[in-house]
Amino acid sequence: MSGSADIVAIIERIIREQGPQGIELKVAGVHDIQHFESVTGLKLPDEMRTFYSLYSELEGAPDIFRIIPLAEVIEKELFSENKFEFAEYLIYSDTWSVKINENDCNDYVINTTPPTQSFAEFLERYLDDGVYQGFYR
């Protein structure tokens, strides 16, 4: 299964489970990705582009976990030359960032323990194991 197919399957799972899991998805704005890439100079990996083209934010009641809206990444200046913070929990008690290879936006790493190179896997870890067991193994 390719990265795009994986992220679509994870998004479908989130939609199915969002009520029972206490997860809420917020619909994306039409120009969110274009504005983000223009302001930050970063090109989103395909998996993240797929997610952010559909949803601006994911909020999870467990652990007060969120996928941060791109507009908030810009507003709070949560980006640098080749990375940006895209997820947080407990109102910014901790954050997760993605470091993107400037020559290939689909070559990236997310700072979990152990690190992951897949946004779909990152979301799956959250759905399966929550923040603590999913991201701090």
Side-chain angles (χ1 to χ4, degrees), residues 44-106:
L44 288 175
D46 290 345
E47 288 183 318
M48 296 182 117
R49 178 177 292 280
T50 298
F51 177 85
Y52 279 117
S53 70
L54 299 169
Y55 302 102
S56 65
E57 180 176 12
L58 177 150
E59 290 186 350
D63 304 316
I64 312 174
F65 174 79
R66 287 189 323 137
I67 299 298
I68 304 168
L70 295 175
E72 187 173 321
V73 172
I74 294 168
E75 177 188 323
K76 293 186 179 285
E77 298 181 0
L78 303 174
F79 62 93
S80 62
E81 186 174 318
N82 65 345
K83 74 178 190 175
F84 72 98
E85 296 174 21
F86 70 93
E88 61 94 4
Y89 86 106
L90 290 176
I91 311 169
Y92 285 95
S93 292
D94 202 357
T95 61
W96 291 271
S97 60
V98 58
K99 184 175 181 182
I100 303 168
N101 179 330
E102 64 186 56
N103 299 314
D104 178 1
C105 68
N106 290 308

Side-chain angles (χ1 to χ4, degrees), residues 8-21:
V8 169
I10 293 298
I11 291 169
E12 289 171 352
R13 180 178 168 196
I14 291 168
I15 292 167
R16 279 193 314 273
E17 296 179 6
Q18 66 179 325
Q21 293 277 347

